[in-house]
């Protein structure tokens, strides 16, 4: 039985929070994660792989800053940095997946597509910048960069005088090349696409594509991609095996099955963290609302067991 | 009459030698170059676009160096830097081409594929490192980096005490995903692939793909790609309109038509610069030796005229 699934890997599947992000660490983590995809592939799934890029694009931004400081090399805008990260991460995942497929004696092609994702210039996100990117600056330096580059800064926390650049995080509206991705994946090719939420672009009043200094949530973009290519299932791989009720309390409880009604209740009760589980839950729900069979939120190591993770359906 | 052509853009089509490489400069140059492709597209050509990445990957390497120095961020190996540059440049070219196609009212899809290129570990290039990459170092710092990272350095010139990292430049043997590229381009999609000569990899004794600290000549990789997908024509776009005999002398002469015999004579006479026209001529000749109809070496602005540039055929 051939099924089409989109798998969204978290950025921590590549660089863990406690690591510096050496290439050896990145290969080790990615390899551990990707090896688990074999279970789905052996079950006959066609796969699209998307991935986060938080730690990687963070480092690329820092390198841009350092390169300007030491060598006076012009900094690249955020969209180019996201595109760079799609190239580097996509290549690393593709190579690793090719090797694991060969070890397993499975004959499947793998291709990485640099993916633009279209947002609306009228998105309310452009009124309220929420996504922190890049390095911490002193107030003085932040003011200087704001004047020079038009960047917007917010205080990092109440406890220090550090400032961090914030950018908008608009909703994805269109995945570029979805037709090509769909055809490739339905012919059995494993496609790596929409890395880091996609490279954010918008159509101007003349219908021309323009770059944006923004970051699109990778689970939101992956959910849209999954819907647009008619995927049956959507997997969000993260660092917990399940979604929990009363997370982090003595009453913590595994939620093995979730539907729209239950999720709505839990969101209303404020059960999910703004920067962590909430966007994942919303993207998982969006996929089944758009006609997908089920979404799954779990960690990669649980893919071996065919009854794993939190399964999310409409009803 | 539908024809399939591979077009290789020089790195200077994106960042000119006298520029710092700001994003505005890169868009301006790329746009000027890409606008000329419309002539081929209107003539019914199917196109694969490849591109150099010299100035861009040079900056990425410098940023890696600076990021390590200021923020202690681990440097990425050369293969990841090439992959990053494929993402950033590919995205920029794709977006620009999409806009120009829209302006012209031409309905064509454009897709950018992150491309690995396989070389042989037995390539003689691994005995003699020739390709200079990255920044200039003092002797002391070069020795330090050589000890720390195993990099190889050569003196930059006889006149200063600056040292530069050198890497091997092996022959491309296999373009990954050539089947997918061929199918896409034959269905009318414009494919951007094999940027910067491709990400260099090799198969180890177990048949596993391994990364390499190397740089593949972009014209050699593009020539191989053109042959493997059965292209009719192969274009190398550079900063001169023609190949010349007696270049730079009072006897300089435009070579409008060249064949294998003539090229062999001229190579034997040492007519072509090692780091400039020679690799282009060799890649152009290789394509027609492998069965291609013709290669063309010219500058982008000459594409408007249908009888342009130096045309290279076998006989």
């Amino acid at each position: 039985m051939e099924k089409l699934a989109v798998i969204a890997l978290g950025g921590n599947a590549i660089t863990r929070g406690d690591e510096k992000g050496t290439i050896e660490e990145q290969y080790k983590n990615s390899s551990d994660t990707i090896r688990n995809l074999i279970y789905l592939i052996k079950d006959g799934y066609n796969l699209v792989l998307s991935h986060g890029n938080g730690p990687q694009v963070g480092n690329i931004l820092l390198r841009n800053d350092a390169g300007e400081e030491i060598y006076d090399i012009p900094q690249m805008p955020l969209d180019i940095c996201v595109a760079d990260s799609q190239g580097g991460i996509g290549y690393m995942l593709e190579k690793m997946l090719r090797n694991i497929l060969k070890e397993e004696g499975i004959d499947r092609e793998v291709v990485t597509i640099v993916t633009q994702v279209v947002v609306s210039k009228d998105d309310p996100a452009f009124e309220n910048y929420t996504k922190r990117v890049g390095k911490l600056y002193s107030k003085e330096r932040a003011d200087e960069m704001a004047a020079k580059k038009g960047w917007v800064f917010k205080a990092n926390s109440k406890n220090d005088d550090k400032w961090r650049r914030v950018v908008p995080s608009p909703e994805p509206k269109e995945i570029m090349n979805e037709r090509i991705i769909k055809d490739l994946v339905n012919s059995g090719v494993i496609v790596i696409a929409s890395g880091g939420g996609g490279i954010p672009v918008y159509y101007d009043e003349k219908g021309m594509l323009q770059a944006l200094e923004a970051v699109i949530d990778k689970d939101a973009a992956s959910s849209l991609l999954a819907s647009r290519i008619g995927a049956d299932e959507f997997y969000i791989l993260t660092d917990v095996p399940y979604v929990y009720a009363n997370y982090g309390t003595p009453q913590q409880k595994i939620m093995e099955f979730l539907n729209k009604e239950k999720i709505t209740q839990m969101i209303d009760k404020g059960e999910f963290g703004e920067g962590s589980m909430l966007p994942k839950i919303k993207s998982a729900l969006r996929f089944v609302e758009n006609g997908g069979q089920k979404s799954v939120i779990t960690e990669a190591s649980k893919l071996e067991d065919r009854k794993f993770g939190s399964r999310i359906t409409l009803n």
Side-chain angles (χ1 to χ4, degrees), chain A:
Chain A
M1 179 198 57
E2 210 168 77
K3 283 204 169 191
L4 173 50
V6 171
I7 318 265
L9 305 181
N12 65 335
I14 304 161
T15 300
R16 297 207 324 247
D18 56 347
E19 292 175 341
K20 282 182 73 177
T22 65
I23 191 65
E24 292 78 14
E25 288 165 345
Q26 294 192 38
Y27 274 119
K28 169 73 173 67
N29 298 333
S30 312
S31 169
D32 289 351
T33 301
I34 285 200
R35 203 165 283 280
N36 291 295
L37 301 182
I38 293 295
Y39 301 111
L40 292 175
I41 294 168
K42 284 188 173 169
D43 272 3
Y45 277 78
N46 286 329
L47 293 185
V48 172
L49 211 63
S50 73
H51 58 83
N53 70 345
Q56 292 76 28
V57 82
N59 280 350
I60 290 173
L61 289 165
L62 284 175
R63 290 188 190 109
N64 266 269
D65 192 87
E68 187 175 49
E69 195 160 324
I70 297 190
Y71 300 119
D72 195 28
I73 306 169
Q75 295 206 29
M76 289 296 107
L78 187 50
D79 56 313
I80 296 280
C81 296
V82 171
D84 281 5
S85 78
Q86 285 190 354
I89 299 171
Y91 149 65
M92 192 175 61
L93 296 177
E94 178 181 329
K95 178 161 50 107
M96 201 143 274
L97 187 49
R98 284 176 178 274
N99 284 343
I100 293 170
L101 289 166
K102 181 169 265 182
E103 273 177 34
E104 298 282 337
I106 300 168
D107 186 25
R108 293 282 286 269
E109 292 173 296
V110 188
V111 69
T112 303
I113 292 180
V114 178
T115 315
Q116 297 173 52
V117 171
V118 183
V119 304
S120 163
K121 202 65 202 297
D122 302 325
D123 194 298
F126 294 104
E127 304 299 316
N128 178 27
Y129 291 20
T130 55
K131 184 78 185 165
R132 288 169 156 75
V133 297
K135 60 172 289 206
L136 293 169
Y137 291 92
S138 66
K139 180 80 175 73
E140 190 188 351
R141 181 83 176 129
D143 287 345
E144 203 179 301
M145 302 296 270
K148 186 173 161 195
K149 297 178 191 278
W151 292 355
V152 177
F153 287 85
K154 281 189 180 170
N156 188 50
S157 77
K158 283 173 189 155
N159 306 319
D160 58 18
D161 192 28
K162 295 295 180 191
W163 293 70
R164 199 150 174 228
R165 185 177 173 204
V166 285
V167 296
S169 187
E171 282 292 309
K173 294 291 180 192
E174 179 191 336
I175 309 288
M176 217 151 261
N177 284 322
E178 60 181 40
R179 203 268 315 160
I180 289 172
I181 295 169
K182 184 176 180 174
D183 286 356
L184 284 170
V185 75
N186 281 327
S187 76
V189 179
I190 298 170
V191 180
I192 300 171
S194 192
I199 308 160
V201 292
Y202 70 98
Y203 292 111
D204 69 16
E205 61 286 351
K206 289 179 183 160
M208 295 295 137
L209 284 167
Q210 302 292 350
L212 268 177
E213 299 263 341
V215 164
I216 301 168
D217 179 73
K218 75 116 174 56
D219 295 311
S222 303
S223 174
L224 178 62
L225 172 60
S227 299
R228 298 293 280 260
I229 64 173
D232 303 294
E233 302 175 3
F234 174 44
Y235 293 76
I236 298 178
L237 301 185
T238 183
D239 48 6
V240 287
Y242 291 97
V243 176
Y244 299 90
N246 306 308
Y247 185 65
T249 72
Q251 289 74 43
Q252 177 173 310
K253 191 187 146 206
I254 286 173
M255 302 304 292
E256 205 176 338
F257 299 96
L258 284 164
N259 60 19
K260 181 171 180 173
E261 191 186 345
K262 184 67 191 164
I263 288 171
T264 309
Q265 283 170 15
M266 289 177 75
I267 290 176
D268 289 346
K269 280 177 65 187
E271 291 251 24
F272 304 121
E274 185 67 50
S276 57
M277 196 49 89
L278 186 62
K280 294 186 206 310
I281 282 282
K282 281 185 176 172
S283 296
L285 179 59
R286 181 78 60 89
F287 174 70
V288 294
E289 284 177 327
N290 284 336
Q293 283 171 24
K294 70 166 177 181
S295 296
V296 178
I297 298 179
T298 190
E299 57 188 7
S301 64
K302 291 290 174 293
L303 292 176
E304 183 170 4
D305 179 359
R306 306 303 295 113
K307 302 223 173 299
F308 53 82
S310 293
R311 279 147 281 166
I312 292 139
T313 49
L314 198 55
N315 300 304

